[in-house]
Amino acid sequence: KMLTEKNKNMGEESAKYWQVVANQSYIFRKFALIGEEVSKITKDMALRFFDKYLAKNAPKRRKLSVQVFASPHMERIGEGVNGTAPVSETNTEDAEKEEEKKSDG
């Protein structure tokens, strides 16, 4: 509903258009298009998506852990965060090997 509702005033409308120009997407109907697509989603579709990808024992569930470091903290990039293993090339290679084993087996 929020994606398809009209702008409340000229400032809101112009800000929306200037953002489209600034990011160079030039898709002025972006929110209307997204709203149209979202309105097609049924409750049943959302529940099936949840069961397939998000539920605790979902068959297609995957985990992703991302660590983001600001430039001043790059010296800490090799350290683990909250008990996780530090990111390294070895960890990436190990993960790739594990994924290959799963797909082969």
Side-chain angles (χ1 to χ4, degrees):
K1 187 176 180 179
M2 185 175 87
L3 293 168
T4 57
E5 71 183 25
K6 291 188 176 190
N7 298 310
K8 294 182 177 88
N9 55 49
M10 290 290 285
E12 191 176 277
E13 185 174 5
S14 66
K16 191 184 291 185
Y17 290 140
W18 276 113
Q19 179 61 33
V20 170
V21 172
N23 70 21
Q24 299 181 348
S25 69
Y26 306 112
I27 304 172
F28 295 97
R29 293 192 60 237
K30 176 181 172 180
F31 292 107
L33 294 170
I34 293 171
E36 289 170 14
E37 292 302 313
V38 168
S39 69
K40 296 175 186 176
I41 298 171
T42 65
K43 180 180 177 181
D44 185 55
M45 291 167 68
L47 289 173
R48 281 187 285 142
F49 180 87
F50 179 86
D51 290 341
K52 187 173 184 178
Y53 296 102
L54 304 175
K56 186 175 181 179
N57 295 319
K60 299 275 186 174
R61 181 178 171 158
R62 298 289 181 264
K63 293 182 183 179
L64 173 66
S65 175
V66 178
Q67 297 178 9
V68 179
F69 291 87
S71 296
H73 304 287
M74 288 302 290
E75 68 274 1
R76 296 186 61 199
I77 198 163
E79 298 176 21
V81 177
N82 296 331
T84 61
V87 176
S88 70
E89 203 172 300
T90 305
N91 289 358
T92 306
E93 290 170 4
D94 291 344
E96 289 171 356
K97 288 176 186 173
E98 282 296 317
E99 197 61 35
E100 286 175 15
K101 286 180 188 176
K102 288 179 185 176
S103 63
D104 291 342

